[in-house]
Amino acid sequence: MQLAKRMARVQASAIREILKVAERPDVLSFAGGLPAPEAFPVEALARAHADVLSGDAAGALQYGATEGFGPLRAWVAERMTRRGLPAAAEQVLITAGSQQGIDLVGKALIDPGDVVVVEAPSYLAALQSFSTYEARFETVPSDDDGMQVDALERLLRRKRPKLIYLVPTFQNPRGTTLSLERRVRIARLAARFGVTVLEDDPYGELRYRGPALPPVAGIEKEAPVIHLGSFSKTLAPGLRLGYAVADARAIRALTIAKQAADLHTGSLAQRAVARMFETFDYDAHLARLRRLYGERLDAMLASLERAFPEGTTWTRPEGGLFVWVQLPSGIDALELFGDAMLARVAFVPGAPFYPAEPCLETLRLNFSNRPPDAIARRLREARASRAPRRRIAG
Ligand SMILES: Cc1ncc(COP(=O)(O)O)c(C=O)c1O
């Protein structure tokens, strides 16, 4: 079999490879971005699926519209309007997770060689997806307030990128959030330079402290922004349900791209979730999730000091699923990974999240998947069992 040349530039996801090892039952994994299974609304979903199958089996099992199931599109439009992105149902495309939204944007917008601006570090599977469309990456550094806008503006003056890819809220992998001031500036820059922003927001509703910020897509009417959301982290990732919200022209292009990809998102899952939302108290469910994950985040933050060598720093997210750790200069996270696995603890070394020039002394920790006491205990044990570290040469 001869593969397309473009596949030579696309790397297998290091995270998925690590997850294979981390899935061993004796390993405590801080590696994946897995939601807590005990928080899946199993009963409500079971009832909704049963209702849909008994009341509308023909609709639920038949081919459906590419744009998605009308009532679910309307629900998303209404919720996004309340969250600060005014939208009509026609501006919503239901996707197979937000990952498909990323891929459809790549398919619809990126020609080989086009420049895509990304944060460094950035969400790995987005880099992977844009690579399959032969994008070239330009990176803009991030700090605790998200993408550095002065650096972005300098870049926009020099280059004409096709796309700016952002995870503004509780970024994967750093957990940090783009400040309001930077949101406004990025929206204005997008309008001024006519560059499309892809706002990928699977974590926006998982805020444990601090005030909510408006989506970048809702700030500046003239700015071309495509907003992506997901039910993966708030309901369950196995549903494979997400959405894109954008102007009619962008939704049309993404819809055509989706027709070629998978015709439409699964009819049964869309109808079941729309049915569930008729009676399910989603806000109360989110409040429970925020309490659960907020406790786990606190447990992790409280344990990090004892778990890592002196001189280590980490982000202090207000939500989402990840903490980003910066090790002292010269300590390679990949080596540390080997040690941690001996103590049956897994994490993701940070290097793969960089499209270029990786920082080897970084790693990502997930805190959503295990109870707080397990997080604290195992981080302590991992520290106790660790051999003295060698430094990276040079
Ligand atoms: C930033 C970001 N975008 C998109 C996704 C994909 O999520 P989904 O399950 O909605 O496809 C993830 C999943 O971890 C993510 O972290």
Side-chain angles (χ1 to χ4, degrees), residues 115-118 138-140 147-165 185-197:
V115 170
V116 175
V117 177
V118 295
E138 288 286 339
T139 58
V140 173
M147 184 181 267
Q148 293 178 0
V149 186
D150 289 338
L152 173 66
E153 184 163 357
R154 280 196 297 277
L155 182 75
L156 292 176
R157 288 180 193 287
R158 280 190 296 116
K159 307 249 174 186
R160 277 273 169 261
K162 193 55 122 3
L163 189 68
I164 301 168
Y165 172 71
R185 284 187 63 198
I186 289 181
R188 289 191 181 145
L189 285 174
R192 193 163 112 219
F193 287 91
V195 180
T196 301
V197 173

Side-chain angles (χ1 to χ4, degrees), residues 57-370:
L61 300 176
Q62 192 53 277
Y63 285 116
T66 304
E67 289 83 350
F69 181 52
L72 188 59
R73 297 173 77 199
W75 186 94
V76 169
E78 197 263 325
R79 187 154 188 101
M80 288 314 303
T81 301
R82 265 197 285 147
R83 289 182 58 202
L85 171 52
E90 297 68 41
Q91 289 173 265
V92 176
L93 169 69
I94 304 294
T95 58
S98 52
Q99 186 63 38
Q100 186 182 48
I102 296 169
D103 200 60
L104 296 179
V105 169
K107 197 179 228 187
L109 265 71
I110 298 173
D111 289 315
D114 275 351
V115 170
V116 175
V117 177
V118 295
E119 295 167 86
S122 185
Y123 171 52
L124 182 59
L127 301 178
Q128 218 182 7
S129 173
F130 298 143
S131 293
T132 64
Y133 298 107
E134 301 180 66
R136 280 186 300 128
F137 294 114
E138 288 286 339
T139 58
V140 173
S142 294
D143 56 30
D144 286 351
D145 287 329
M147 184 181 267
Q148 293 178 0
V149 186
D150 289 338
L152 173 66
E153 184 163 357
R154 280 196 297 277
L155 182 75
L156 292 176
R157 288 180 193 287
R158 280 190 296 116
K159 307 249 174 186
R160 277 273 169 261
K162 193 55 122 3
L163 189 68
I164 301 168
Y165 172 71
L166 279 181
V167 184
T169 310
F170 318 130
Q171 196 238 20
N172 183 357
R174 295 188 80 247
T176 46
T177 292
L178 189 70
S179 67
L180 179 58
E181 186 223 328
R182 289 187 185 180
R183 283 171 196 244
V184 172
R185 284 187 63 198
I186 289 181
R188 289 191 181 145
L189 285 174
R192 193 163 112 219
F193 287 91
V195 180
T196 301
V197 173
L198 178 57
E199 176 180 42
D200 184 14
D201 184 36
Y203 305 111
E205 301 237 55
L206 292 180
R207 175 176 278 284
Y208 319 131
R209 57 184 71 97
L213 295 174
V216 175
I219 289 174
E220 173 72 57
K221 226 172 173 324
E222 300 307 311
V225 186
I226 299 171
H227 179 94
L228 300 180
S230 175
F231 293 111
S232 287
K233 315 296 175 173
T234 55
L235 293 179
L239 291 166
R240 306 310 302 133
L241 285 181
Y243 47 88
V245 183
D247 67 23
R249 189 161 160 257
I251 289 296
R252 181 79 195 130
L254 297 181
T255 302
I256 293 169
K258 184 170 165 68
Q259 281 165 0
D262 67 349
L263 304 181
H264 63 84
T265 300
S267 306
L268 176 58
Q270 292 191 68
R271 278 174 165 74
V273 167
R275 171 81 187 96
M276 186 177 93
F277 282 152
E278 287 172 20
T279 52
F280 184 68
D281 190 343
Y282 187 55
D283 286 315
H285 170 72
L286 287 180
R288 275 194 302 278
L289 267 187
R290 291 185 189 119
R291 255 194 320 277
L292 183 75
Y293 291 162
E295 276 174 17
R296 293 179 180 194
L297 169 61
D298 289 344
M300 178 162 275
L301 290 176
S303 312
L304 287 179
E305 214 141 294
R306 274 164 285 140
F308 284 97
E310 214 181 299
T312 305
T313 58
W314 48 87
T315 55
R316 295 182 173 277
E318 295 190 323
L321 302 188
F322 305 109
V323 174
W324 182 249
V325 175
Q326 176 83 45
L327 297 164
S329 164
I331 296 186
D332 185 340
L334 201 57
E335 270 193 51
L336 204 63
F337 178 76
D339 291 354
M341 280 305 290
L342 291 177
R344 294 173 293 117
V345 173
F347 57 79
V348 185
F353 294 99
Y354 292 86
E357 297 168 38
C359 179
L360 303 179
E361 296 119 334
T362 53
L363 58 97
R364 189 193 74 178
L365 293 172
N366 163 264
F367 54 81
S368 55
N369 191 240
R370 295 298 165 104

